Amino acid sequence: MFKKKECVAMLLAGGQGSRLYALTVKTAKPAVPFGGKYRIIDFTLSNCINSGIDTVGVLTQYQPLVLNEYIGNGQPWDLDRIYGGVKILPPYQGQKSADWYKGTANAIYQNLAFINRYDPDYVLILSGDHIYKMDYHAMLQAHKERGADCTIAVIDVPIEEASRFGIMSTNEDGSIYKFSEKPKNPDSTKASMGIYIFSKDKLQKYLTEDEADPESSNDFGKNIIPNMLAAGEKMYAYSFEGYWKDVGTISSLWEANMDLIGKDPVLDLGDPDWRIYSRNQSTGPQFVSDSARIENCYVTDGCEIHGTVINSVLGSGVKIGAGAYVKDSVLMGDIEICSGATVNYSIIDTNVTIGAGATVGAAKEEAKGITVLGEDVQVPGGARVEDGAIISEF
Amino acid sequence: MTAVGIIFPNIHDNKIPELTKMRTLGSVPFAGRYRLIDFAISGMVNAGISKIGVVTLNNYQSLLDHIGNGKDWDLARREGGIKMLPPFISSYENAAAGRYYSTRLEALLGTVNFFKRCKEDYVVMSDCDVICNIDIKDVLRQHVESGADITFVTKMTTPSKGETVRIVECDEDGNVTDIVGAKNVAEKVRTFINVMVLKRTYLLNVLDMAIGHGYTSFMQDVVCKNIGKETYKIYDYTGCYAKIGSMEDYFDCSMKLLDADMREQLFGVKNRPVLTKIRNSAPTRYCEGAKVTNSVVAEGCVIEGTVENSVIFRGVHVGKGAVVKNCVLFQDTYVCQGADLNCVITDKNVIIKDNRKLSGHETMPFYIGKNVSV
């Protein structure tokens, strides 16, 4: 019992996110908390529903428990549907073979059956590790109007950073004539955002061919896109303007959180016309006590603040004791900072306790780097966590 | 043992006419992110009740909007779930059923078919004028064990000035010996907090009898006449408690939230969370120069000014240099630069323009109605 869908989204959420170290020991990167009450994957899922795409396959592989639980039946994103909705697609054992997802292209290849159930004209490929608000519907329109076989979303990056990305060289009409993965001497500043729309038949053709090639690393960027380009398919770049951030590293995750605060925050999540949905906690409202000082902060419900908090992002259920001091930090949720403790320039994962009088990190100006405490870490009273340390067990 | 819940969101509407002009008492906002009915629904849901009837009367659009299909309370169910029970008004003049009820008993009579179709053994009834976190499961347990016909949930409390209460007298075994209405009681008494448990079949018998005798009042005609004959027990609730009987009460109850014990007993009870409609607001942004102390704040706010001893609802904006003291600001109130508010309650979507100075008094908070711009 399936209805035809014009476009099905496939969200690659299987990556380990190893550059987030302690934050992804127990959790897949897309399920890492962000911006107080969100998880990274909320942005892509919300973009889908806000763009009118109601059929989303989420490809999971690494540490899927938290991610699976979090997505559940998709109800927070309005993706609990009779026809379509969100579906978790883990690797599976087939009659002839059983494979982990070998690469991004292979992951989609293994789920062609899922895609074909909806008989879509187009397939949108997404990844679950970026923070951005984007109307995929507008991109799909562009794809249709140009009669493209593949449309790749690109964003202008500074030329000095271009060698970190897959770079598209385009003609005036936006058609791509060259694609170079992490080029040493980039000749364009149009970086691929890892967001592709394929016409379904072409996608199926190239995935099948790619699968037959034993030399291939089964990757969109390394194989599928270059192959299609070489074959002369109609490939276009779709320029996106707006906030977009890969939060694959500790420092970029910290920066993206800080983009929510400041004088005129560059990232606004309060837009009622483009809400970011998340699985909400049922906690009481926030309480700010007599002894609290709270400045330039982003605070979620369920927080109880008695100490000083400056330039920080606080997730649900963070308790900050009297005389505690928190600055330039991201506290993900269910964290207790006991009285007199100091936290500076740190990212602290969920369910962490910092004992009374303990010190975590050093002031941003002097610190060697961002201090990271993983899930469930308990820092005893009076202890000291060196600046720049990354700790998953204390 | 199974139970069905019944909630009366409209009874007591007349006690705070300002706030119930556009809504039921059950949909009066409270504590930054809740509506009063949330406490009643959550109590039942936390006791494992998955079928709840909401007996409405009028003005219930905001209530419908709040409850939706009930999914935020896990009540979007195929079996049971939340059932809205509006008055059954027939378009035929002489039809037997069909008028607005004015008492609890009449309200129940209008929903007798709902009870007949239920299969649950017990009925838990609750109004929406009390803010508490009752362990309904324990009330049910006691009710079943004691074999009572009706169990009344009571609370030892000193009523506020001018409040009308029902004082429950009982013997050592917790049997009700008398229930009396009283006003201006200045001492600690055992009051009925409008939550009760009874057997469904017992309720159906009561309703049958009420039709036969033309009774109109549940308390006077049914309960009070049978004290001593039937087994009426009390259940003394000891947790946090605030009752809304007037606008001043509403203000006082809101200010009680600034007390740590009250918050802990209301929102911090393990396995008994208070659930409400999810609005997907972003977290609250405290800007540079914000000065917030001793306040309850919900999500989705932007605070640039000073907030003291206040309850701030979702989506409120407090502009630069604005001072908000001892206030309750409902959802999406916008306080512009330099405004100065003291003891003010603003309803939804109120705009306070630049540099306006408004003040009420703790005993007489100044109320500004919905969508008003000052």
Side-chain angles (χ1 to χ4, degrees):
Chain A
M1 210 174 65
F2 295 94
K3 269 191 188 169
K4 180 181 169 64
K5 299 278 178 184
E6 186 188 30
C7 182
V8 166
M10 299 296 276
L11 205 167
L12 297 157
Q16 186 178 351
S18 54
R19 286 173 302 154
L20 289 176
Y21 306 100
L23 303 177
T24 49
V25 171
K26 295 172 190 166
T27 312
K29 181 157 87 169
V32 167
F34 175 82
K37 65 187 292 191
Y38 307 95
R39 292 183 188 252
I40 295 170
I41 199 170
D42 285 331
F43 289 81
T44 0
L45 289 176
S46 302
N47 286 342
C48 280
I49 197 71
N50 289 336
S51 305
I53 292 169
D54 62 7
T55 307
V56 185
V58 179
L59 298 110
T60 61
Q61 179 151 292
Y62 174 79
Q63 284 285 23
L65 173 68
V66 177
L67 185 60
N68 290 355
E69 267 176 358
Y70 186 70
I71 293 173
N73 67 349
Q75 184 249 322
W77 307 270
D78 244 348
L79 287 169
D80 51 334
R81 301 295 176 101
I82 295 172
Y83 299 103
V86 67
K87 298 277 187 294
I88 303 275
L89 303 170
Y92 55 90
Q93 191 163 27
Q95 200 182 18
K96 291 189 188 129
S97 64
D99 275 324
W100 292 102
Y101 293 147
K102 287 179 283 181
T104 51
N106 174 255
I108 304 296
Y109 173 80
Q110 289 201 39
N111 288 289
L112 278 172
F114 168 80
I115 294 172
N116 283 324
R117 279 169 176 264
Y118 299 98
D119 185 24
D121 302 319
Y122 308 99
V123 180
L124 168 66
I125 309 285
L126 301 164
S127 67
D129 32 14
H130 294 98
I131 303 296
Y132 65 115
K133 297 191 285 184
M134 179 175 176
D135 185 358
Y136 304 137
H137 181 71
M139 181 175 168
L140 181 62
Q141 281 307 113
H143 180 87
K144 282 156 65 177
E145 277 162 21
R146 290 152 156 181
D149 298 313
C150 173
T151 300
I152 301 174
V154 295
I155 188 160
D156 232 9
V157 293
I159 187 83
E160 56 272 19
E161 282 181 35
S163 54
R164 285 174 39 220
F165 296 92
I167 295 295
M168 307 288 158
S169 309
T170 57
N171 299 311
E172 258 176 37
D173 65 347
S175 59
I176 301 166
Y177 65 87
K178 189 173 136 201
F179 169 75
S180 14
E181 182 76 25
K182 298 184 180 150
K184 284 216 178 75
N185 300 303
D187 55 6
S188 155
T189 54
K190 288 195 165 82
S192 166
M193 298 162 71
I195 299 165
Y196 314 106
I197 291 178
F198 291 95
S199 296
K200 201 223 88 196
D201 295 338
K202 292 283 178 182
L203 177 69
Q204 184 153 355
K205 173 172 179 279
Y206 281 90
L207 285 179
T208 312
E209 285 173 14
D210 179 66
E211 192 60 21
D213 174 7
E215 301 294 309
S216 172
S217 42
N218 307 116
D219 186 86
F220 276 100
K222 286 184 195 135
N223 308 107
I224 304 291
I225 304 298
N227 290 350
M228 284 182 81
L229 203 56
E233 302 289 359
K234 290 173 81 178
M235 303 182 74
Y236 284 88
Y238 175 81
S239 288
F240 170 76
E241 278 162 26
Y243 187 90
W244 178 78
K245 194 145 192 141
D246 183 338
V247 286
T249 63
I250 295 290
S251 59
S252 62
L253 181 65
W254 183 88
E255 281 163 22
N257 273 287
M258 293 302 140
D259 287 339
L260 293 162
I261 51 180
K263 212 163 181 206
D264 290 297
V266 280
L267 178 56
D268 171 22
L269 305 182
D271 179 2
D273 295 329
W274 202 271
R275 275 192 201 283
I276 305 300
Y277 301 95
S278 67
R279 200 172 275 281
N280 281 241
Q281 308 263 349
S282 46
T283 59
Q286 359 184 321
F287 178 71
V288 184
S289 87
D290 265 340
S291 55
R293 190 182 143 212
I294 175 163
E295 222 172 296
N296 194 31
C297 285
Y298 211 52
V299 183
T300 311
D301 278 347
C303 288
E304 181 114 14
I305 298 161
H306 300 275
T308 299
V309 201
I310 302 165
N311 304 343
S312 297
V313 173
L314 273 53
S316 164
V318 173
K319 294 200 164 48
I320 295 180
Y325 181 89
V326 176
K327 198 179 174 193
D328 301 316
S329 294
V330 178
L331 311 186
M332 287 178 171
D334 295 321
I335 293 167
E336 188 168 3
I337 313 279
C338 299
S339 60
T342 304
V343 176
N344 256 307
Y345 198 38
S346 298
I347 298 180
I348 301 182
D349 206 336
T350 50
N351 203 24
V352 167
T353 309
I354 312 284
T359 309
V360 176
K364 191 181 157 218
E365 300 72 30
E366 307 151 10
K368 278 178 269 177
I370 299 167
T371 311
V372 180
L373 300 183
E375 210 178 322
D376 304 325
V377 167
Q378 311 289 312
V379 177
R384 177 171 166 71
V385 178
E386 291 293 323
D387 44 318
I390 295 179
I391 290 171
S392 46
E393 258 176 274
F394 197 87
Chain B
M1 189 266 295
T2 52
V4 56
I6 284 287
I7 297 176
F8 300 93
N10 282 101
I11 291 183
H12 316 294
D13 273 7
N14 55 357
K15 289 186 179 158
I16 37 171
E18 299 93 329
L19 296 178
T20 53
K21 193 175 154 200
M22 310 283 272
R23 50 171 85 90
T24 67
L25 184 81
S27 40
V28 165
F30 189 74
R33 58 196 299 271
Y34 303 95
R35 306 276 183 151
L36 292 180
I37 197 170
D38 291 338
F39 300 94
I41 300 179
S42 301
M44 292 176 181
V45 168
N46 290 334
I49 294 174
S50 60
K51 186 194 280 183
I52 297 176
V54 179
V55 186
T56 62
L57 180 61
N58 43 31
N59 268 352
Y60 55 86
Q61 278 182 8
S62 62
L63 189 72
L64 290 176
D65 179 56
H66 180 67
I67 289 174
N69 66 354
K71 71 175 159 189
D72 290 332
W73 297 264
D74 234 349
L75 288 172
R77 304 287 187 95
R78 243 171 250 295
E79 285 298 321
I82 204 139
K83 307 272 183 219
M84 302 305 287
L85 303 169
F88 182 87
I89 311 288
S90 171
S91 23
Y92 300 96
E93 223 169 285
N94 294 322
R99 60 193 179 94
Y100 289 106
Y101 63 80
S102 53
T103 68
R104 186 186 309 273
L105 188 63
E106 288 170 9
L108 286 168
L109 286 171
T111 54
V112 71
N113 284 328
F114 172 79
F115 290 111
K116 277 186 181 158
R117 279 197 305 271
C118 287
K119 294 190 181 77
E120 285 76 4
D121 307 320
Y122 297 93
V123 179
V124 179
M125 289 200 238
S126 176
D127 295 352
C128 294
D129 61 334
V130 167
I131 292 138
C132 54
N133 191 335
I134 304 177
D135 185 353
I136 299 282
K137 203 181 231 170
D138 197 51
V139 182
L140 275 162
R141 179 200 53 78
Q142 189 207 293
H143 179 78
V144 175
E145 280 172 11
S146 70
D149 294 311
I150 304 179
T151 299
F152 297 91
V153 180
T154 53
K155 169 83 186 171
M156 294 299 296
T157 180
T158 312
S160 58
K161 213 178 143 199
E163 183 188 342
T164 312
V165 290
R166 283 215 165 89
I167 300 174
V168 181
E169 313 265 359
C170 64
D171 66 14
E172 280 169 11
D173 301 324
N175 291 302
V176 175
T177 53
D178 202 4
I179 300 179
V180 241
K183 205 175 174 178
N184 291 324
V185 186
E187 56 187 338
K188 205 166 194 183
V189 286
R190 175 174 282 113
T191 62
F192 174 46
I193 64 173
N194 295 327
V195 177
M196 60 182 135
V197 177
L198 61 173
K199 220 178 187 161
R200 187 176 60 89
T201 46
Y202 180 83
L203 176 66
L204 283 171
N205 284 339
V206 165
L207 296 180
D208 255 0
M209 202 170 63
I211 294 170
H213 291 77
Y215 291 160
T216 53
S217 163
F218 191 82
M219 263 308 171
Q220 281 151 30
D221 298 333
V222 180
V223 175
C224 290
K225 278 186 186 159
N226 290 307
I227 289 175
K229 293 180 210 154
E230 314 265 282
T231 324
Y232 296 155
K233 295 267 187 188
I234 59 144
Y235 177 97
D236 258 334
Y237 165 68
T238 50
C240 70
Y241 166 87
K243 190 177 175 191
I244 294 178
S246 66
M247 198 64 175
E248 293 80 60
D249 275 356
Y250 178 84
F251 187 72
D252 287 346
C253 289
S254 294
M255 291 304 151
K256 271 190 184 173
L257 293 166
L258 304 179
D259 176 60
D261 279 347
M262 177 76 181
R263 284 196 313 277
E264 193 56 33
Q265 289 180 37
L266 196 55
F267 303 121
V269 187
K270 219 177 168 201
N271 297 321
R272 297 216 304 270
V274 185
L275 304 171
T276 188
K277 182 185 176 187
I278 285 165
R279 199 193 178 209
N280 284 294
S281 317
T284 282
R285 194 153 63 85
Y286 296 83
C287 304
E288 261 161 61
K291 253 182 85 184
V292 181
T293 48
N294 197 34
S295 294
V296 164
V297 184
E299 282 178 350
C301 300
V302 176
I303 316 273
E304 299 180 274
T306 300
V307 178
E308 254 181 65
N309 309 329
S310 296
V311 177
I312 309 292
F313 282 69
R314 289 162 167 175
V316 167
H317 189 116
V318 178
K320 237 179 219 149
V323 178
V324 174
K325 281 186 188 171
N326 313 308
C327 289
V328 180
L329 307 184
F330 283 10
Q331 197 169 307
D332 298 325
T333 294
Y334 200 101
V335 182
C336 298
Q337 286 190 18
D340 188 338
L341 306 179
N342 180 40
C343 294
V344 172
I345 299 176
T346 60
D347 209 308
K348 278 175 79 175
N349 300 318
V350 164
I351 299 172
I352 310 288
K353 292 186 181 155
D354 286 1
N355 304 318
R356 298 285 188 272
K357 282 187 174 31
L358 298 169
S359 181
H361 187 266
E362 279 158 43
T363 53
M364 181 65 83
F366 181 53
Y367 168 76
I368 302 169
K370 202 172 167 180
N371 303 328
V372 169
S373 144
V374 183

